[in-house]
Amino acid sequence: DSTRKQTYLNSTMDFALQRAITEGLSEEESWDKGLIKIYECLANDFHYNNPESLLSFPDNHDMDRIFTQLNEDVPKTKMALAIHCFVPRILQLYYGTEILMQNSDKPGDHGLIRSDFPGGWPGDTVSAFNGLNLNDQQGEFQEFTRKLLNLRKDEFVMTNGRFLHKAPEDGMYICGRKSSSALMLLLLNKSSQMQELNLMSIEEMLPKEYLYITDLIQNGAAQIAGHINVGPNSLKILKFH
């Protein structure tokens, strides 16, 4: 259409993915609800000329904090953050996500959504800059966020590898990034039961040859004997190399 104006925008915000991830983690699993929404949203990336130029975000200044959207469920908030870190997008994090800032007392209240970040001023009794008086949940989540972002910085395959994923099954979703020499996998178990992943079921994802499997969250070699156990309502990030 010759009447359309050229915006020269190189990137737009991926609200569809934000909604799919939040709903996918919040809803009970069924054929058309739950994790399948995340899978289907990302499976439709072929509609975009360059999905890597889209902006991925768990929340922003105009919507409820992600911790509030997920009913203050810490494990699911970790899952949301991990997915946003893995997908082939430009990542944006709103300040305070790393310390579980929320607006649960008044959903939709933009004053609460945009509350001051704790610390940095004389007299502040809580500081997220040095950990002063953060509660255990906040401190642990801040450290988890630090690990995730350092992985994005240090692991080339996590931000530049080809994106792969598998349709969810029994409350577990698997996605990853693959290069010619390595694979990083994110395993999400949203169910209340331990889930066992047989490596044969993802054989086509795996590198042809790999010597090591490293658990990048637990900072050690993964205990593998043809299968991987993922605890209830938890995640694993593994590197095959």
Side-chain angles (χ1 to χ4, degrees), residues 4-21:
R4 290 183 178 176
K5 292 183 178 180
Q6 171 57 262
T7 66
Y8 297 100
L9 288 175
N10 293 320
S11 178
T12 56
M13 302 177 73
D14 198 342
F15 281 94
L17 181 59
Q18 192 281 332
R19 180 175 178 177
I21 291 174

Side-chain angles (χ1 to χ4, degrees), residues 19-30 32-38 69-71 76 171 190:
R19 180 175 178 177
I21 291 174
T22 304
E23 291 182 352
L25 292 172
S26 301
E27 296 173 345
E28 294 293 326
E29 292 297 300
S30 70
D32 65 341
K33 287 183 171 56
L35 295 171
I36 192 66
K37 288 188 173 181
I38 303 172
Q69 292 184 53
L70 293 172
N71 299 311
K76 287 187 172 60
K190 201 182 88 173

Side-chain angles (χ1 to χ4, degrees), residues 101-144:
M101 286 180 67
Q102 44 78 21
N103 62 296
S104 303
D105 287 343
K106 291 184 179 179
D109 187 300
H110 284 213
L112 279 180
I113 293 168
R114 304 172 190 184
S115 296
D116 288 345
F117 189 77
W121 300 97
D124 283 347
T125 58
V126 177
S127 175
F129 293 101
N130 58 21
L132 178 67
N133 289 330
L134 292 180
N135 64 39
D136 290 344
Q137 272 191 343
Q138 291 174 313
E140 195 270 337
F141 198 87
Q142 188 181 54
E143 179 58 27
F144 173 78

Side-chain angles (χ1 to χ4, degrees), residues 1 29 37 55 80-81 109 149 153 170 191 228 235:
D1 186 344
E29 292 297 300
K37 288 188 173 181
L55 187 73
L81 191 57
D109 187 300
L149 297 183
K153 181 179 69 176
D170 297 326
S191 78
I228 301 168
L235 63 85

